[in-house]
Amino acid sequence: MSTAWLIARDELRMMVRNRLAMIGMGLLLLLTLTAVVSAWAHQRGIAELRARHAQAAEAAFDAQPDRHPHRMVHYGTFIFRPLGPLAAFDPGVDAFTGNSMFLEGHRQNTANFGDVRQSSLLIRFGQLTPAFVLQVIAPLLLIFLGYGVLARETEQGTLRVLMLQGARRWQVVGGKLLALGLVALIAGAPAMIGLVAMARQPGALTLPMLAIAAGYAAYLALWTILIVVVSGFVRRGRDALLALTALWTVSTILLPRAAADLASAAVPLANRLQSDVAIARDLRAMGDSHNPDDPHFAAFKQSVLDRHGVSRVEDLPLNYKGIVAIEGERMTSSLFNRYAAASHAAQARQNAYVDRIGLLSPAIALRSLSMAAAGTDLEGHRRFLDQAEAYRYALVQRLNAMQAQAVRFADDTATDADADRRKRVSASHWQAAPDFRFVAPDGATLAGAALPGLAVVLGWLVLALAALGLVTRRLGARR
Amino acid sequence: MILLAHELRLLLRQRLSVMALALLATLSAASLILGMSEVQRQRDAIAAIPAAQAEDIAAVADYVDRTKDAGSAAYYSFHPTWDAPSALAFAALGMRDVSPYILRVRALGLEAQIYDGDTFNPELALPGRFDFAFVLVFLAPLFVIALFHDLVSGEREAGRQRTLDALPRGGRSLWRRRSALRLSLLWAALALPFMLAAAWEQVAVGAILAVLAVAMAYLLFWAGVAALVSRLRCSSVTNAAVLASAWLLLVLIVPTLANVAINAALPIDQGAEIALAHREEVNRAWDIPREDTMRRFYARHPEWSPSAPLGPEFHYKWYLAFHQNGDESVAGRVRAYRAGLEARDAAARATGWILPSVGVQALLMRLAQTDLAAQLRYQDRIRSFHRRLRTFYYGYLFTDRPFDRTDFDRAPRFGGDIS
């Protein structure tokens, strides 16, 4: 058996004899198991609840009686953001964004009822998910188990004995690395098994799963190497423990929060009141459908009349009110899209800011990798919002077109007692309207979005390996 | 006193201790500056409301003035409400980053408006804020651990413990002296920057004292844990590892477990169900006789029943009446939803009695008025303002009084007070 193997076996035997270490390891495995089970149950519960709500909302829409189409524009529809299978591993921002949205004409409503506003303050302490366990807790456990791997030998003078017996430096370091790496493997395995189990759900994708697995493997390998490096660099075990704990605190606890605060201070976001007022202002500048003398709508009316070769709206083959509704919706919707894009661009700038700080903290990089691959990052929410707006626009315009074609202008403007009945169109139209179906991104897109984060973690891994080389060369030299 | 000064000299000679104290003071100052700038941003946003609002309402007034229809005024006017940060909000931003502190409402159905959120970046909200509460709850214990883990064991390992025990005023009194010194220095590193910030923000003296006392109690708790662990007479390094594990459990792991447990034990009738039920109730009005709607409305609000009967054409008083009927039809669900939120919050607070980390966080959020109770109070103020809005517009609609440009100035204004 090679020397490195022997050293690794010895180190592992030491760890097994350490009762505290074993308890810690056992607790970590238990915690991971709890996290996998509870996060999975949570994800399935949410997915089922949202599916049920979505079905109820669709059924209610289809069951509406004969109505004026514009009534349906305001009856609107509720849609719910579905939760992908990998959200059980890393729910990302799911709890922090509203997951239901009311879609209606002329208005763009917010996504409401996020978990964060329905849970107690405890949710701000973090959520128990496999991702949280691996990102935050596993590294600290590795530190507790591994801070002494080399420092202890140096401190007690056994390193010299080892080397006198003919062990090479790289064999000593390699053996320790092997032992701690094995521990990391055991620590990460349950979460990875959970990931594989989750991936067997329908709709789970292979590429993002591989990205997640690669990211977390690299992350744990990085910590393993860092621990060995620090342990080999300092003289005393205690110094190694304090330095590593400080490193862990800064990179996984402090920087993510500080980065978020700095980003929100650096890139301001327009609040809803300001953008709503701005949208109303732009809309007035474009044209005011309420104003009979408005130049835009006067020109629009003339163009419609010219197109059909008539001189009065009453003579149009279509209901002019429906045509105006289509034009009005086109105008408001273009503004909604412009302001939503501006807000999203600002949020993307904030995230880019955080990612730059993420160069300093592999935990931030891993978090964005993990959320991106699971489709639970801001971009994933944005995909939902974009599809929701596209669906809203198509549905409202479908109803407006129905008003233009199926409701006569004379009926639409009448106010006699029977007019209400004549304005209504058949309920069968509501069933014919398509339901909202969220189109999940393909695996390549998700995995591609995870690449920048993966690159940062791998970059750190390379740096750590270089440091390991330096420490190995100097091991035991300067005492 | 001389002994303390001597101890201080000894302590300041250790590079680790000095670095730890300086770092804690820096982090505390940084968190306060970030918190204060966030609160300032929120204040600026609230201060910018009147200008934006004046522009918006002027345009609505231009339009409504042509018809003098109070219904159109009610339908198109958005009225701003806001929840100004308390003087202490900078220290514990709490839920203010995910719950709106500005919300505009119309005199229509409130249940379709009151749960709306504001724009925020969820990826920034996910890790939580870097505020003073975070520095105190999460980071300060680590500094206690750094300074206390080798208090006794360090001397033992250096072979000085027996000598120190044998000294006059050595032994227990020495450890007490050293502990008190370390604790006061740590507390000062947190408290001095905080007091400066609190003075700048003109926080009431009582609140400042409360925060300082909470901080001291929390540090004492961790020093107590450290003292308990040192009784095991392990090496410094084992002490450090055990204490860090205790921190991991008390600050990170148990709160997340408690969150899972509370959410499972206290299921909440989802807010989305209120929204769905409300929409059904409101839109149903278009398909039932309008007199039914009015009858139901007048039964609850007889003060408006002398109003003229509806004609064949559309009238906004009917429209607003069915919106109010809609609100009233989900009142039971709204109460249940709120009770659910309060039950979860109460459970989390109860956890705070066992988990000091949670307790301190909850206490700071309560003092800073950034917790759920404060959010609900803001919702109550919105509800009472909305009642005034309704009464105001109904006064025109149910008596068919024309609504002209000057009437816009008579509309109720959100005063932040409960009326």
Side-chain angles (χ1 to χ4, degrees):
Chain A
M1 203 184 274
S2 83
T3 318
W5 272 111
L6 280 172
I7 291 173
R9 212 184 55 188
D10 258 23
E11 183 64 39
L12 284 171
R13 199 177 292 151
M14 277 275 304
M15 285 183 195
V16 171
R17 276 200 211 131
N18 181 345
R19 209 153 21 115
L20 273 176
M22 281 302 101
I23 292 174
M25 198 68 196
L27 281 180
L28 180 79
L29 296 185
L30 208 64
L31 193 70
T32 313
L33 206 68
T34 318
V36 169
V37 171
S38 85
W40 199 351
H42 185 68
Q43 179 252 353
R44 286 174 70 157
I46 286 186
E48 272 164 31
L49 185 74
R50 290 185 195 165
R52 205 170 62 233
H53 280 157
Q55 245 168 21
E58 286 161 10
F61 188 88
D62 292 347
Q64 291 307 299
D66 294 359
R67 279 234 174 111
H68 186 287
H70 194 66
R71 293 276 37 91
M72 290 305 278
V73 166
H74 283 286
Y75 178 75
T77 188
F78 272 92
I79 58 164
F80 296 84
R81 189 185 56 226
L83 207 52
L86 287 182
F89 185 83
D90 188 350
V93 299
D94 181 72
F96 289 81
T97 53
N99 46 53
S100 73
M101 238 180 141
F102 179 49
L103 308 181
E104 60 177 327
H106 341 310
R107 272 178 72 72
Q108 197 173 43
N109 292 308
T110 56
N112 289 350
F113 303 113
D115 266 354
V116 68
R117 290 184 68 191
Q118 303 191 141
S119 299
S120 67
L121 66 108
L122 287 171
I123 196 171
R124 305 310 290 269
F125 279 77
Q127 290 164 279
L128 187 62
T129 63
F132 171 75
V133 173
L134 288 188
Q135 285 171 21
V136 177
I137 295 171
L140 194 59
L141 188 87
L142 286 180
I143 290 174
F144 291 162
L145 289 173
Y147 68 87
V149 280
L150 287 170
R152 188 188 62 239
E153 307 273 9
T154 317
E155 203 173 2
Q156 296 171 352
T158 41
L159 182 67
R160 200 155 290 182
V161 179
L162 266 176
M163 286 168 56
L164 281 174
Q165 285 171 344
R168 304 251 182 95
R169 288 194 175 104
W170 68 263
Q171 286 173 327
V172 177
V173 172
K176 301 293 186 184
L177 206 58
L178 212 58
L180 201 57
L182 202 65
V183 175
L185 210 61
I186 297 171
M192 284 300 131
I193 293 170
L195 179 65
V196 172
M198 286 162 193
R200 292 179 57 185
Q201 293 181 84
L205 299 160
T206 318
L207 277 177
M209 209 187 80
L210 289 178
I212 288 180
Y216 282 91
Y219 181 72
L220 290 183
L222 169 66
W223 273 107
T224 308
I225 295 169
L226 273 180
I227 292 166
V228 174
V229 166
V230 172
S231 186
F233 183 74
V234 301
R235 225 164 305 189
R236 292 187 303 170
R238 195 185 68 148
D239 295 348
L241 179 62
L242 289 181
L244 283 166
T245 310
L247 201 64
W248 173 86
T249 309
V250 170
S251 66
T252 60
I253 303 290
L254 204 152
L255 275 180
R257 287 204 186 218
D261 257 78
L262 291 172
S264 70
V267 185
L269 284 185
N271 62 33
R272 188 148 167 255
L273 181 140
Q274 294 294 345
S275 20
D276 282 356
V277 169
I279 288 175
R281 180 194 308 133
D282 289 357
L283 194 60
R284 284 196 298 278
M286 283 166 80
D288 181 356
S289 65
H290 292 309
N291 183 352
D293 308 323
D294 180 77
H296 174 85
F297 278 94
F300 176 74
K301 182 171 165 183
Q302 197 54 51
S303 76
V304 173
L305 292 176
D306 290 350
R307 204 173 330 132
H308 291 280
V310 294
S311 56
R312 298 184 322 148
V313 289
E314 287 82 356
D315 301 333
L316 284 171
L318 295 169
N319 176 358
Y320 183 65
K321 286 184 81 170
I323 299 174
V324 170
I326 292 175
E327 172 67 2
E329 195 64 42
R330 185 192 64 75
M331 288 161 63
T332 50
S333 194
S334 72
L335 288 174
F336 292 154
N337 288 338
R338 194 200 303 163
Y339 279 86
S343 176
H344 182 253
Q347 294 183 43
R349 274 202 302 284
Q350 292 182 331
N351 290 354
Y353 194 99
V354 172
D355 285 340
R356 275 202 295 284
I357 298 179
L359 293 176
L360 300 175
S361 154
I364 294 180
L366 178 73
R367 195 189 63 192
S368 65
L369 171 174
S370 172
M371 288 194 297
T376 53
D377 56 351
L378 177 69
E379 202 46 48
H381 185 52
R382 162 80 174 179
R383 273 192 287 269
F384 169 70
L385 294 180
D386 282 350
Q387 292 185 23
E389 174 56 24
Y391 175 77
R392 185 195 74 82
Y393 185 68
L395 180 71
V396 170
Q397 293 300 49
R398 181 191 177 98
L399 292 166
N400 285 336
M402 209 178 287
Q403 184 183 5
Q405 287 154 11
V407 183
R408 289 176 48 225
F409 184 71
D411 292 335
D412 217 358
T413 47
T415 54
D416 58 286
D418 186 49
D420 183 60
R421 188 193 55 78
R422 295 199 306 273
K423 286 176 196 176
R424 296 180 181 237
V425 304
S426 154
S428 61
H429 286 99
W430 321 142
Q431 289 135 35
D435 292 329
F436 176 71
R437 286 287 168 268
F438 179 71
V439 182
D442 58 16
T445 310
L446 290 174
L451 285 183
L454 190 61
V456 173
V457 177
L458 289 177
W460 269 88
L461 196 60
V462 171
L463 281 180
L465 279 171
L468 186 71
L470 284 178
V471 165
T472 309
R473 238 186 314 157
R474 290 174 42 187
L475 189 69
R478 60 184 169 113
R479 324 280 162 180
Chain B
M1 217 45 227
I2 300 170
L3 280 177
L4 264 184
H6 175 65
E7 287 294 344
L8 183 65
R9 233 183 1 259
L10 272 182
L11 187 69
L12 294 185
R13 231 183 263 164
Q14 296 176 9
R15 223 168 15 141
L16 175 73
S17 313
V18 177
M19 262 167 50
L21 287 169
L23 187 61
L24 182 60
T26 313
L27 287 173
S28 157
S31 74
L32 290 162
I33 291 169
L34 285 171
M36 280 157 73
S37 71
E38 172 63 31
V39 165
Q40 193 52 48
R41 269 200 301 282
Q42 299 191 358
R43 289 199 185 113
D44 291 345
I46 290 172
I49 295 176
Q53 186 60 24
E55 177 196 345
D56 209 42
I57 282 289
V60 175
D62 280 346
Y63 162 62
V64 171
D65 203 41
R66 287 179 218 135
T67 58
K68 311 234 185 278
D69 176 19
S72 300
Y75 185 85
Y76 290 104
S77 305
F78 284 86
H79 302 266
T81 74
W82 59 89
D83 180 26
S86 74
L88 191 59
F90 70 90
L93 295 164
M95 305 290 281
R96 288 186 70 90
D97 58 342
V98 291
S99 313
Y101 55 87
I102 298 175
L103 188 72
R104 295 204 302 168
V105 293
R106 295 192 278 176
L108 312 185
L110 182 60
E111 298 305 329
Q113 308 177 62
I114 200 163
Y115 306 107
D116 281 356
D118 211 322
T119 313
F120 69 94
N121 183 344
E123 277 195 32
L124 298 190
L126 178 62
R129 303 312 298 248
F130 187 82
D131 54 9
F132 182 72
F134 163 69
V135 172
L136 176 62
V137 172
F138 282 76
L139 301 183
L142 289 170
F143 287 88
V144 175
I145 294 172
L147 261 60
F148 278 78
H149 75 277
D150 62 346
L151 189 67
V152 180
S153 58
E155 300 294 358
R156 191 169 59 237
E157 282 156 14
R160 288 190 294 260
Q161 194 189 359
R162 280 163 191 274
T163 323
L164 288 172
D165 279 343
L167 281 179
R169 283 196 252 172
R172 283 182 163 223
S173 123
L174 174 80
W175 306 131
R176 263 207 300 278
R177 212 157 53 228
R178 287 194 171 172
S179 301
L181 181 71
R182 281 167 163 75
L183 213 53
S184 334
L185 287 175
L186 283 170
W187 182 74
L190 287 166
L192 291 180
F194 171 75
M195 284 193 281
L196 278 179
W200 178 264
E201 292 280 336
Q202 299 176 348
V203 180
V205 178
I208 298 182
L209 292 179
V211 173
L212 294 179
V214 168
M216 187 43 132
Y218 190 56
L219 293 179
L220 258 175
F221 166 77
W222 281 102
V225 174
L228 273 182
V229 170
S230 87
R231 285 203 167 186
L232 301 174
R233 298 182 62 84
C234 298
S235 63
S236 298
V237 63
T238 312
N239 282 347
V242 171
L243 284 169
S245 314
W247 176 86
L248 182 67
L249 273 175
L250 291 180
V251 176
L252 280 188
I253 294 178
V254 185
T256 58
L257 280 170
N259 184 41
V260 172
I262 288 177
N263 284 5
L266 300 167
I268 281 187
D269 191 20
Q270 289 279 321
E273 283 164 19
I274 297 178
L276 285 170
H278 184 258
R279 176 184 67 150
E280 286 310 317
E281 197 55 46
V282 166
N283 281 276
R284 205 170 64 89
W286 292 92
D287 305 312
I288 58 173
R290 298 193 292 173
E291 289 67 31
D292 291 2
T293 299
M294 296 319 286
R295 248 196 312 279
R296 189 167 143 204
F297 177 76
Y298 289 141
R300 282 171 182 271
H301 308 283
E303 67 272 28
W304 304 114
S305 59
S307 181
L310 292 173
E313 64 282 348
F314 174 83
H315 198 298
Y316 262 113
K317 69 181 173 192
W318 165 70
Y319 185 85
L320 291 181
F322 73 65
H323 270 264
Q324 183 152 6
N325 285 348
D327 277 354
E328 284 160 2
S329 72
V330 294
R333 280 173 192 268
V334 171
R335 269 196 301 278
Y337 182 59
R338 185 186 174 123
L341 295 181
E342 284 173 330
R344 281 187 175 178
D345 190 54
R349 293 178 166 281
T351 321
W353 289 106
I354 312 164
L355 280 178
S357 51
V358 176
V360 168
Q361 178 75 37
L363 213 56
L364 287 180
M365 279 167 66
R366 167 68 37 107
L367 285 170
Q369 294 169 38
T370 54
D371 57 354
L372 179 80
Q375 299 302 327
L376 293 178
R377 275 202 302 281
Y378 175 42
Q379 289 195 352
D380 287 340
R381 295 212 306 276
I382 296 175
R383 285 181 194 284
S384 103
F385 174 64
H386 192 259
R387 271 195 295 279
R388 283 163 59 207
L389 279 183
R390 275 184 163 147
T391 312
F392 171 72
Y393 286 112
Y394 290 177
Y396 292 83
L397 274 169
F398 284 83
T399 57
D400 289 310
R401 235 184 334 143
F403 195 99
D404 62 38
R405 197 176 285 277
T406 56
D407 290 308
F408 280 92
D409 297 331
R410 297 201 181 93
R413 279 168 203 275
F414 185 77
D417 55 326
I418 296 177
S419 49

